[in-house]
Every structure is written in structure tokens, then in C-alpha cells.
Amino acid sequence: MASAGGSEPGAEDAAKTAEGVYEDVMPCDKMELSQRLAVEELITTEASYVHNIQLCVSDIRAHLQKKQLPDLDLEGLFSNTDDILHVSKRFLKGLEATATQEHEQLLCISALFQEFKEEMESVYKIYCASYEHALLLVESYRKDPRLQEEILETLNATVPHTGASDLSFFLVMPVQRVTKYPLLLGKILENTPPSASAYPALQAAVRAMAQVNANINEYKRRREVATKYNKAEHLTLRDRLARLNTHSIAKKTTRLSRLFMHEAGIVAKTEDREYDDLEEKFQCVVSSVAMLKDNVASYLGHLEKRRLERLVCQPLCSLSDMLVGPQQLVKKRLDKLLDYEEIQERKSETGSVTYDEEAAMNTYLAINALLMTELPRFNQVALQLLGQILCSLSALQRDLAAQVLHRAEKELEQLPHGHVPLPSFWKMVEDTLQQSSTQLRTFCQTFETVTPSPVTQPLNPAEERKVLSLVSKHGPDKLYQVTSNVSGSKDLDLTLQRGQIVALLQSMDTKGNTSRWLVDAGGPRGFVPAGKLQPYCPVQSQQPGMQMPAPESSTERRRHSYASPEAPRPQVATFSPAFQVVSGFSFAARSPREVSLQAGQPVVVLEPHDKKGSKEWSLVEVNGQRGYVPSSYLVTVPVQEPMGWSLPV
């Protein structure tokens, strides 16, 4: 015991000596040890994290899927955990591979974070943005005893060693992990000498992961702002009136006045060509989906309903529902843009803004940034889905055509000539067609010997007044004709019919887009596509004020039905304000009883109907030839006076 007791002072002295040596000689080794421990912590915690995410996906979620609980929203709970697992596995593999690089390990770790930073931001920002929604689901399931019991049974069966009482134990792991990367890298950096070659690379890795977290937080904030506005509200008139107050009325009045000033050109509108192009593509998708949805609804009765519902209607309705949120956000962006411009103008005058005004400006910037980021991807996915729906519809139509053909072949077999040999059948068809052709030629010859009685084409008073009004306001050189039907899809767009006459007011819209023109349609004013307008140039022709030739006898009419008319008696033209009939479109004659027309060519209407009284065809005379043309191709326009246009006295 004495010897043992006597040995303690010597051991104490040795310990003090070793401690002094450690303090004096080993600071670098201590830093290196701490650095090695920090690297080891990064790798081991990453491995543990990947293992837990694997359990979450492969065991917990799979077990809940087998239960097939209708009230359990697995997609809302686990979000894009599969994507996170895929990225994290590859990242862990890279971390473990750095262990073989003794002196270059820190450089390899820094390079690995730089390599994965964009992928990490892409997957983690989606998860973090939907994390609050997942927690709300977990909270709602706690209040449902049946669902809570099923969830606990799953946790006890798959991960009993964790002692987890609900799903939030696992759902929080990705949020915690991405925020811990800058801390783990910072710990390694703290224990790395500034003179080390890996020091700048570690600094860059720390900054990169800190920026990733900042971007995730900003994306989450934008999503929260968007979620507030992208829900379609179906409010009654009473609910809308209840929401009105002094502040809301003042805000809407300011927006409306700002919008009017934009359209009138009093103040310049904030230009954003890139966003305008994205919105135009999005609106095109919206109108295409709506049109296809209406067409498919009317098509349901003509196809096998079960397949059409499953392959076309259900995906189309889902796509239509997906468009509601972005549509609301696009509309809200315009409101916030008007607020933003108003506040910016006030800020330039006063030099400062209030807290609420600053918040309103940030709201616009958040919505705009989110749309610029998400709308291109949304448009691409929506177009892909729309293409797949159209492919399914085409396949169904092809199947329907095959069924119709098969049924027709069966019906054909029941016909009297169904079993006639093919050469004999075609010979019979040729004989029948030849006989019909002979009868048709005889009918045409008989028809050409009859001349309908010429009558004056009645004018449409409403059309006369409208054209005269446009000419008096804007002049004849501003007249344009609509070449095809126009369906307005945006605010201030006009819906016009083919052949309608309008007057050009401005050859661009308020954004400077020269493909949309501002026109006057004889009452309403608005924008139409420039590609659907062509200049309308009335050509001077026979005036209603001129003397008309004396009517021919019935014998003479039969003799000269389609021959050149006799020279009219000398007439004196009076250039009083009147109207003439011209061809609105070119028309090619397809038979001897028709006559060809060129667009803008003046004609004389002899009869506004055919021999059967149908008003779809009119008998006209043009360039000394008579024949029938479609009545819809004829347009009544004012005749220009030598000294300009004027209204009737």
C-alpha cells in the first residue's frame, strides 16, 4: 500500500509533464484531430440520414399504401421524398469516396458540395415549401382516432427501434438536414488553418450551402404568397359586398385609374417582354384546354363512354383544374403590378414608403419571381399532358373508325349487290355514273336557256349606316375587312365575324405589340390580330343613281341569258353618295352556270337568289358575263365621290 501510495506523486508529475507537452507542442495536432472528427461527423450523420429516409420511403410509406386508406394523403405527407433519397444516396457515395483521398479529402468534399448544390436546392425547396402542409395533415390525422391508430400500428411494425409516436419524427429530417450542411462545413473550416490549400475551397462551399438555404427560404416565402392568392373563390354578391370597405374601395379605384391611364397612354406601363411571352403561352394553353373540354363533352355520345371518360375526360378535367391556380395568380399579378407602379411613383416623389407599401411591393416581386420561375415548367408539362390527351383521343377515333368500317362491311354483305364480283360491281357503278352524267348535262343545257328576271339587290340599312359612319369618322383609307372569324380571348379583345368591316385606330396595342391592332367596329372598340385584317378598298362601279337599262322582253331574256348584254343607252352618271356591291372574296367558277370573281371586283346583282328561291346563291353580271356566285361572297360598300366621302344629305 505504501509503495502504491508512494508511486502516485511520480505519476502525477508525469501527467503534468505530458499535459505541458500537449499544450506546448500539440496545438496543430489538436486542430487536425478536431478537423478529422468534424469530417467523420459529416459522413456518419449523412449515412444515418440516408438510412432513415430509406426507411421512410421503403417501409413506412409502403406499409401505409398497402392499407389503402382513402382519407390518407400520402403524396401530401411525403412530397418528393423519392427525389431527396435519390440525390442523397449519390451524395453519400461521393462523401465516402473522399475517405481514400488523404491529403485531398477536404478539397474533394468542397468540390462535392459545389457539384450537388443545384440538385439539393431543386429537391429541398419543393419539400420545404410543402412541409407546413404535411404538418397540418399530421395534426388532422391525430384528431381522427381511426387514422391515428393505423399510423401508430405502421410505425410500430416498421420502425419500432425509433420510438416515433407520429410521422413528424421522420418528416422533419430533410428540413433539418439541409439547414445543417453549412454548420457541418463551418465546423470543418474552423479547424482548418487559413494557410491550408483547402481553406478557400471550404469557404466557397460554406457560402454555397448558405446561399442554397437562403434560396430555399425565399422560394418558400414566394409559395406562401402565391398560396394566398391562387385559390379560386366562389363568393355570393352578399359576401362580396361584406368585403367592401374604405381601404378596398380606394385600392380598387387606384388600380382602375392606373389601368385606364395605361390604356390611354398617359403613363407608361412596366415592360416585361419575357413575362408577356410566358403569359401568352399560358393563356394559349388555357384556351386550348377549355375548347377541347367543350368538344369532348359534346363528343361523349359518339364513342365508348367508359374509355373516353378514363383516357380523355378525367385527365382533361384534372388539367383544367390545375390551370385554375396559375390563372388566379396571373390575374393577381396584374393587380399587384398596378399597386407596385403607384407606390414606385409615390416613392420617387417623397423618397420613402410606409411599411405596408413596402410589403405590397415585396408581394408583387414575390409573385412575379415565382411566375417567371414556375410558368415555363408549368407550360411545358401542361402541353405534354395536352398532347398525350390528344393522342388518346386520336386512338379512340381510330378505333371508332375501325368499328364503323367493320359494321359497314357487315351491312354491305346484306345489300343486293353485296356478293357481286368486284369487276362486275365497278362496271355497274361506271354505267350508273355515265347515265347520271348524261342526265346532268341535259339538265344544264335546259337550265342555261332560261334567264332569271333581273331585279335590284336590296341594301341592308344597318350595314349602310355602319360603313358610312366609319368612313365619316376615319376616312376610306382606314377601312379593313376581317378575313376569318375572331374570338376574343383577352380583356379588351373583340369578337368579330368574317367579312365584317372595321376602321383602324392604332397599329399596335398598349404594350407596343404590332401583331394586335386597335380597331373601331362601328360601336365597340378593341384589339384584333393584325394577321386577320386586310385593307378594304371599295372600287367605283355603276351607281344606283345612274339610269338603268330598259327591261328586256321574256324572249330576249331567254336568248341572251349568259351572252354579253347589249350596249346600254347613253347614261349620265351622278356622283351622289350611294352604294355598290363588290366581291368580298375571290371565287372560282366550277360549272358553266357560275361566274368567277376577284376580291374587290364590282358586280351587278340581277337576282338575290337562285331559281329555287334559295338566297345562298345570287345571279350577278360581271365583265359582261352572267352567272351564279355565293351570296355570302358579296358585300355592300359606299361609292367614293371624286371630292372625298360624305354622309347622305
Side-chain angles (χ1 to χ4, degrees), residues 539 581-584 596-603 622-623:
V539 182
V581 180
V582 299
S583 172
S596 298
L597 297 175
Q598 296 296 325
Q601 190 173 17
V603 301
V622 56
N623 292 337

Side-chain angles (χ1 to χ4, degrees), residues 391-403:
C391 288
S392 300
L393 182 60
S394 300
L396 289 175
Q397 287 182 299
R398 189 167 56 247
D399 293 346
L400 176 64
Q403 293 174 10

Side-chain angles (χ1 to χ4, degrees), residues 30-183:
K30 184 177 181 182
M31 179 179 285
E32 185 178 349
L33 177 62
S34 300
Q35 181 192 84
R36 194 179 306 115
L37 290 175
V39 171
E40 185 178 346
E41 180 184 3
L42 171 64
I43 298 175
T44 54
T45 54
E46 185 70 20
S48 175
Y49 166 67
V50 170
H51 174 69
N52 286 330
I53 295 298
Q54 183 74 54
L55 287 176
C56 189
V57 171
S58 303
D59 295 354
I60 300 175
R61 188 180 66 181
H63 196 276
L64 289 172
Q65 282 176 334
K66 290 179 182 178
K67 290 179 177 291
Q68 296 183 347
L69 302 171
D71 298 330
L72 197 63
D73 183 6
L74 294 178
E75 186 176 350
L77 282 171
F78 295 97
S79 186
N80 63 328
T81 317
D82 291 307
D83 298 332
I84 292 177
L85 179 61
H86 176 68
V87 173
S88 299
K89 278 184 174 180
R90 290 168 42 232
F91 181 68
L92 175 61
K93 186 177 179 181
L95 280 179
E96 291 173 341
T98 63
T100 60
Q101 310 291 327
E102 294 183 3
H103 300 293
E104 304 294 327
Q105 184 177 19
L106 297 183
L107 286 173
C108 293
I109 290 175
S110 302
L112 192 66
F113 273 100
Q114 295 285 6
E115 179 186 346
F116 276 84
K117 64 181 180 181
E118 292 182 0
E119 282 190 81
M120 285 183 176
E121 180 179 332
S122 176
V123 296
Y124 279 106
K125 72 178 183 180
I126 296 174
Y127 187 89
C128 293
S130 58
Y131 176 65
E132 295 296 332
H133 174 67
L135 290 185
L136 291 176
L137 289 176
V138 171
E139 187 63 30
S140 67
Y141 298 154
R142 283 200 192 103
K143 299 176 182 178
D144 188 328
R146 183 180 62 86
L147 282 178
Q148 181 65 8
E149 183 179 349
E150 295 287 353
I151 292 172
L152 286 175
E153 191 273 329
T154 295
L155 293 175
N156 291 330
T158 55
V159 285
H161 59 283
T162 62
S165 59
D166 59 36
L167 294 173
S168 60
F169 177 83
F170 289 93
L171 297 181
V172 75
M173 287 181 178
V175 179
Q176 291 175 333
R177 188 61 186 174
V178 73
T179 56
K180 198 171 182 181
Y181 285 134
L183 302 177

